[in-house]
Amino acid sequence: LTTDEMAEGLAAALNELKRNGITAFMEALSSPALLQAYLALAQAGRIDQRAAVCQYYDPALGDDRQVIDLTSRRTAFTDTSIDANCVKIVLDGAYGSHTVALLQPYSDEPEKFGHGKLFLDPDRLKRVVARLDAEGFQVHVHALGDGAVRASLDAFSEARRVNGVRDSRHILAHLAMIDAADLPRFKALGVVANMSPLWNRGDPWETVFAPKMFGPERSANLYLTRSLLDAQATLVWGSDWPVTGVDPLDGIETAVTRRYPGGKNPDGVEDTSWIPAQRVTLPEAVAAYTASGAYLLHDEAERGTIAVGKLADLVVLSRNLFAT
């Protein structure tokens, strides 16, 4: 696609976000081509949302050259409504391909799949994160398995050791599995937990595939939203759109009930709460889309809560969520 074609597709996506009441967002992974589409729309004055885009870090490329390119692309967005100060590292994969990185081996065919594999060597990850942190980038890591979470937190810890404590607000995304020992490290290291609430339900991935791949104990401790909040971590909802939907109302309902929106699965059958101990309250679910989202964007002084002097990023609903 040409830049103009990508820009038109992006404009349609941004309109869909606005239709769903999303006034500010973080784009979790932007290729150089997609960044050009963002830049074209921003320079044409066609983006009226606050947007932060995460530039993709490619482990197949050299780190020195990449840091130069990432910094140059960040500078191109100066004086626009877009912030390109985030870098995305994909550290592990997904259920379907057995590429989730685990602390303990897979339960099905452990001799074949082992612990899974990090997409970036831990020592290189530490060097890269420390360097990006020193350059003032916010690092956003795709970490689904507890092995990827542990390696990421170790890298963030190393960045603090090397660079000192900074208000970086680095991000770990998805977080299907977190070892209990790592829960308090989110608060201690100032790391934001970014999860997709629509994944917090008993769909086939979690009720059929997860028990087979991870065994009964691990599959009973997936998506520890309640545990993260109890450990005083900052929890922010993401969508993984277009893999899943982008409607915040569906996300809020799923987070509170751990059921499909409406309480029935796609076959129309009444479902039950999946791992109900990990449900969050309605105020907590709303905060993860609003105040905490603004915090992730370093924007909490201007948006995220209703207060005198803040930007009036308001969404009008037909009914009061707290009265339905």
Side-chain angles (χ1 to χ4, degrees):
L1 299 176
T2 67
T3 297
D4 286 345
E5 289 170 333
M6 290 192 73
E8 291 308 310
L10 177 57
L14 297 182
N15 284 335
E16 180 67 8
L17 292 183
K18 283 191 284 188
R19 192 181 69 78
N20 281 281
I22 296 172
T23 66
F25 64 92
M26 174 173 277
E27 164 75 67
L29 192 158
S30 294
S31 66
L34 183 57
L35 281 168
Q36 287 301 309
Y38 268 110
L39 188 59
L41 288 182
Q43 290 175 338
R46 296 179 61 190
I47 298 181
D48 53 11
Q49 291 142 305
R50 165 80 168 93
V53 294
C54 295
Q55 304 184 55
Y56 175 58
Y57 166 85
D58 188 343
L61 303 177
D63 294 335
D64 291 339
R65 178 73 250 176
Q66 277 202 89
V67 171
I68 293 172
D69 291 342
L70 292 166
T71 304
S72 174
R73 289 193 288 263
R74 174 174 65 180
T75 303
F77 286 90
T78 303
D79 297 327
T80 72
S81 61
I82 306 298
D83 179 347
N85 195 47
C86 175
V87 175
K88 175 64 172 275
I89 297 174
V90 179
L91 193 56
D92 68 348
Y95 285 14
S97 53
H98 282 78
T99 50
V100 176
L102 305 174
L103 292 174
Q104 301 299 325
Y106 279 88
S107 295
D108 61 332
E109 300 185 74
E111 68 287 346
K112 178 179 180 180
F113 299 115
H115 295 73
K117 186 178 179 180
L118 298 174
F119 294 169
L120 199 63
D121 174 83
D123 289 335
R124 185 182 177 191
L125 176 67
K126 289 179 180 178
R127 292 194 302 270
V128 169
V129 168
R131 186 166 180 183
L132 292 172
D133 180 75
E135 294 288 342
F137 283 104
Q138 187 176 18
V139 180
H140 184 295
V141 182
H142 169 118
L144 210 71
D146 52 8
V149 172
R150 173 76 54 84
S152 300
L153 291 170
D154 288 347
F156 294 142
S157 178
E158 175 68 6
R160 279 200 166 190
R161 186 191 70 80
V162 172
N163 302 326
V165 177
R166 301 177 58 255
D167 188 19
S168 305
R169 306 184 193 183
H170 299 313
I171 306 156
L172 283 181
H174 300 320
L175 304 173
M177 276 181 280
I178 307 170
D179 188 81
D182 287 324
L183 287 168
R185 299 180 73 193
F186 283 80
K187 177 177 172 57
L189 294 170
V191 174
V192 176
N194 178 214
M195 303 177 81
S196 301
L198 287 177
W199 293 2
N200 294 346
R201 64 191 185 195
D203 60 27
W205 289 110
E206 311 308 339
T207 60
V208 178
F209 295 104
K212 177 183 176 184
M213 296 168 66
F214 310 132
E217 182 176 350
R218 285 184 295 189
S219 61
N221 288 281
L222 295 172
Y223 298 105
L224 300 176
T225 48
R226 173 80 270 147
S227 298
L228 280 164
L229 287 171
D230 289 346
Q232 298 182 296
T234 298
L235 175 65
V236 176
W237 298 134
S239 68
D240 211 45
W241 189 48
V243 175
T244 50
V246 75
D247 184 348
L249 295 179
D250 284 347
I252 290 170
E253 181 180 347
T254 306
V256 170
T257 66
R258 303 278 288 203
R259 300 171 68 181
Y260 280 92
K264 293 184 178 181
N265 70 22
D267 295 326
V269 177
E270 187 92 3
D271 70 339
T272 58
S273 185
W274 177 70
I275 314 182
Q278 292 300 325
R279 291 180 297 188
V280 303
T281 67
L282 181 53
E284 289 167 337
V286 172
Y289 270 123
T290 53
S292 298
Y295 175 84
L296 179 145
L297 296 174
H298 289 82
D299 258 4
E300 71 273 18
E302 292 192 336
R303 67 183 79 232
T305 55
I306 300 173
V308 173
K310 286 194 172 185
L311 297 174
D313 286 7
L314 304 177
V315 177
V316 180
L317 302 177
S318 61
R319 288 186 291 170
N320 179 0
L321 294 184
F322 293 84
T324 60

